[in-house]
Amino acid sequence: MAKPQEKVSFGQRLKQIGMVFSFTAKRDKWFAPLAAAAVLIPIALSVVAVVFWGWMWLPIGILLALLALLIVLNLRSNKAMLNAAEGQPGAAASILESMRGDWRITPAVSSTTQMDMVHLVIGRPGVILLAEGNPQRVRGLLGQEKRRLAKVIGSAPLHDYFIGQGENELPIRKLRMTLMRLPRTLSGKDVNALDKRLKALTARPQMPKGAIPKNMRPSKGAFRQTRGR
């Protein structure tokens, strides 16, 4: 049975927010000025409102300042994380796993020892292959996967992208938006059926554990014939 998810305490939540603050501030030079503006502008407006209309506007200004700060933190931290992930092996699969929606992701369905890899994604837009690594090496992997999948996906759309900064390549910061803009041509039932077919295709049979049954053991004569060849 799966263990129930542990609740995060208030202190742990504050520690996580502090780590995100530190991470973003080190990698985004605009974060500190924008965060300061997000706090100071609502506070200044609330002070003016307090002078003219009373103290009831002060807590409202504080809440607006906190909300604006969290919005800035969310936007700039996402950008900082995407910039940090640029060029890292497997970054595309990690980003997709955090996306909302019904996306079936199989990281590194095909790979090489040089950290070139192809990720398989199944969703409402169809089948998507994402290639990461050296363009010359990963091109062969991508072509091999396309030929293999074409046998079982039927009429489902097949999209493929090279992740990178070069010509005809998709920058990793645009990956989410690109996939979200793809037309939804499959229904939920189609996605489930397609997922089952592709899992059966990528499944690898495993050798049974334990002793080999007697009725499956080769005869002694078979070994003599093999040695005699």
Side-chain angles (χ1 to χ4, degrees):
M1 296 179 62
K3 295 182 179 179
Q5 187 175 2
E6 297 182 358
K7 294 183 178 180
V8 180
S9 64
F10 180 72
Q12 291 175 331
R13 183 69 67 185
L14 288 180
K15 185 177 180 180
Q16 291 175 354
I17 294 175
M19 293 173 63
V20 175
F21 261 88
S22 177
F23 174 86
T24 308
K26 290 179 180 178
R27 289 166 173 79
D28 186 358
K29 64 179 181 179
W30 290 104
F31 172 67
L34 291 174
V39 173
L40 295 177
I41 292 176
I43 293 296
L45 293 176
S46 66
V47 170
V48 174
V50 166
V51 172
F52 288 96
W53 296 290
W55 289 96
M56 60 174 293
W57 289 95
L58 182 59
I60 296 177
I62 294 174
L63 291 177
L64 289 176
L66 291 175
L67 178 61
L69 180 60
L70 290 177
I71 292 175
V72 170
L73 176 62
N74 181 52
L75 295 176
R76 305 307 294 187
S77 63
N78 285 335
K79 183 177 181 180
M81 284 187 285
L82 289 176
N83 290 336
E86 194 77 51
Q88 297 296 325
S94 299
I95 291 174
L96 290 177
E97 288 173 346
S98 64
M99 284 180 58
R100 296 180 180 179
D102 187 13
W103 300 95
R104 321 289 176 88
I105 303 157
T106 306
V109 69
S110 182
S111 61
T112 68
T113 56
Q114 291 84 13
M115 301 304 291
D116 309 303
M117 57 191 71
V118 176
H119 311 297
L120 172 64
V121 184
I122 307 170
R124 296 287 300 277
V127 180
I128 304 167
L129 292 174
L130 302 176
E132 286 188 285
N134 183 278
Q136 296 179 352
R137 293 194 301 262
V138 81
R139 196 177 302 276
L141 290 179
L142 183 61
Q144 180 181 352
E145 285 301 315
K146 290 174 68 175
R147 290 190 296 270
R148 189 169 69 102
L149 296 178
K151 302 176 182 178
V152 295
I153 65 174
S155 60
L158 177 60
H159 310 273
D160 61 272
Y161 299 95
F162 286 91
I163 305 299
Q165 294 291 332
E167 186 178 358
N168 298 325
E169 294 181 344
L170 178 63
I172 200 168
R173 63 174 59 91
K174 296 182 179 180
L175 176 58
R176 288 181 180 175
M177 188 60 65
T178 300
L179 298 192
M180 293 300 293
R181 289 178 176 176
L182 290 175
R184 267 53 176 169
T185 57
L186 301 181
S187 65
K189 293 182 179 179
D190 294 333
V191 173
N192 291 331
L194 187 59
D195 188 24
K196 290 180 181 179
R197 292 203 303 269
L198 293 184
K199 282 183 178 178
L201 178 66
T202 56
R204 296 179 180 179
Q206 297 182 355
M207 293 295 294
K209 297 180 180 180
I212 301 176
K214 292 183 178 180
N215 59 352
M216 295 181 61
R217 294 176 183 175
S219 62
K220 295 181 180 180
F223 285 111
R224 295 194 188 99
Q225 293 175 4
T226 304
R227 287 196 300 267
R229 291 178 182 176

